[in-house]
Amino acid sequence: MPSLFCLPFMAPVFCLLLAFFMIASGNAQGPPSPGYSPSSRISSVTFNQGFRNLWGPQHQRVYQGSLTIWLDKTSGSGFKSLEPYQSGYFGAAMKLQPGYTAGVITSLYLSNNEDHPGNHDEIDIEFLGTTPDKPYTLQTNVYIRGSGDGNLIGREMKFHLWFDPTQDYHNYAILWTPSEIIFLVDDVPIRRYTRKSDATFPTRPMWVYGSVWDASSWATENGRYKADYSYQPFVGRYTNFKISGCTANSPASCHPPSASPSGSGSLSRQQVSAMNWVQRNYLVYDYCHDPKRDHTQTPEC
């Protein structure tokens, strides 16, 4: 490609930069269309309609249904849904802090840790803070009965994104059904975790949470870079909240929203194609392919 654009008067370094830009631009159009938008079937709610403050109320501001939370050296902040759920679609549009954010986690997740301390289930979307020269990492994770009791078994898959999450709001969501968990970014599935056995799938009701907090011990390159409060505050912005599903008290006849246009079953062929594109181009870690892991503890691999 460089030979097509490099003229005799151009410096070699400029030619290389131009080639890199062309290659990057060719990959920057984003994933192929999934052909279906699960979020379009779900009405938005304001923060106060679906959530309440959990901690750090002095670092939380609600304005016109949207939420801003922030971390400084005194405290972070978190929120929690008004009800627990046994399945459903849980999402929000989020905009992240630019610049130096190493050590800082901005999250949207499901958990029942308050109900089952030391023996809880959890489904995570976590943004791992970064240094200005590197992109954010979006970490997805699933815990099943055991995290916090000295036998922490994470099921992490980490991604970079095909856009800069600090420049605008993008929609991030977890779709949890009795048969699978699907993580979505702007309605594009990026990961599907299927129920292969009761032992490897969360089945107990969970609450929806979000937070910004200091995880310097592990968040950025395994703790190499820590939170630096000379850059405070570290701000997370949330809007366009969507919650639709079966609460813990819903009858057995309740069904969560579907991920696919068919209204039943799993992802369509077009959705799978979009997910495969993301994983080919932007997946940076898969616990199932980590040779350092004991895979007897993750039989789904």
Side-chain angles (χ1 to χ4, degrees):
M1 183 177 292
S3 62
L4 296 176
F5 296 95
C6 284
L7 299 175
F9 60 84
M10 291 183 178
V13 171
F14 180 82
C15 292
L16 288 172
L17 290 172
L18 181 61
F20 175 80
F21 175 78
M22 296 296 293
I23 293 169
S25 297
N27 204 37
Q29 79 277 11
S33 170
Y36 178 67
S37 300
S39 68
S40 66
R41 304 292 182 93
I42 299 167
S43 298
S44 298
V45 298
T46 65
F47 175 78
N48 289 328
Q49 287 174 322
F51 300 92
R52 63 173 178 83
N53 173 260
L54 181 62
W55 60 284
Q58 73 279 16
H59 289 162
Q60 186 170 120
R61 182 175 66 247
V62 179
Y63 178 71
Q64 294 184 345
S66 298
L67 174 74
T68 301
I69 56 178
W70 61 94
L71 165 72
D72 63 23
K73 63 183 178 181
T74 65
S75 177
S77 187
F79 58 94
K80 179 182 180 180
S81 61
L82 299 178
E83 295 184 276
Y85 294 82
Q86 55 185 325
S87 62
Y89 177 100
F90 312 99
M94 298 168 61
K95 184 178 180 181
L96 304 182
Q97 173 93 355
Y100 188 100
T101 57
V104 178
I105 298 288
T106 308
S107 67
L108 181 73
Y109 64 102
L110 308 176
S111 178
N112 49 32
N113 185 52
E114 291 180 274
D115 300 319
H116 306 284
N119 185 34
H120 75 283
D121 308 291
E122 189 167 314
I123 306 171
D124 294 332
I125 290 175
E126 298 175 306
F127 283 98
L128 310 183
T130 189
T131 53
D133 58 324
K134 296 178 181 177
Y136 264 97
T137 297
L138 187 159
Q139 174 169 281
T140 64
N141 207 350
V142 181
Y143 293 123
I144 298 98
R145 292 181 298 279
S147 58
D149 64 353
N151 188 30
L152 180 66
I153 302 172
R155 291 165 165 85
E156 301 92 343
M157 288 180 69
K158 301 178 184 179
F159 301 82
H160 290 156
L161 295 168
W162 52 96
F163 54 83
D164 181 349
T166 72
Q167 293 299 302
D168 204 352
Y169 284 92
H170 291 268
N171 293 301
Y172 306 93
I174 296 164
L175 180 54
W176 173 38
T177 76
S179 60
E180 63 186 358
I181 299 162
I182 298 171
F183 298 86
L184 303 112
V185 176
D186 288 338
D187 281 311
V188 177
I190 63 168
R191 177 184 182 183
R192 176 172 57 187
Y193 181 87
T194 58
R195 182 174 183 167
K196 296 184 177 179
S197 73
D198 289 351
T200 61
F201 198 82
T203 58
R204 298 176 298 180
M206 290 189 273
W207 303 78
V208 190
Y209 295 88
S211 60
V212 58
W213 59 289
D214 186 334
S216 289
S217 63
W218 64 270
T220 306
E221 299 186 31
N222 295 317
R224 179 182 177 189
Y225 297 99
K226 315 292 186 183
D228 182 344
Y229 288 99
S230 67
Y231 295 97
Q232 70 177 31
F234 301 103
V235 180
R237 295 178 172 86
Y238 300 73
T239 191
N240 195 32
F241 295 97
K242 290 178 181 279
I243 300 183
S244 179
C246 303
T247 67
N249 298 318
S250 294
S253 58
C254 180
H255 295 287
S258 171
S260 70
S262 66
S264 62
S266 187
L267 300 174
S268 68
R269 183 177 299 178
Q270 191 170 348
Q271 288 174 305
V272 170
S273 176
M275 181 175 68
N276 289 341
W277 183 93
V278 172
Q279 294 191 1
R280 281 195 310 271
N281 290 284
Y282 291 98
L283 178 66
V284 294
Y285 177 83
D286 183 343
Y287 74 106
C288 280
H289 298 149
D290 185 345
K292 298 177 182 178
R293 297 288 296 266
D294 177 4
H295 294 296
T296 62
Q297 296 184 317
T298 53
E300 71 278 2
C301 291

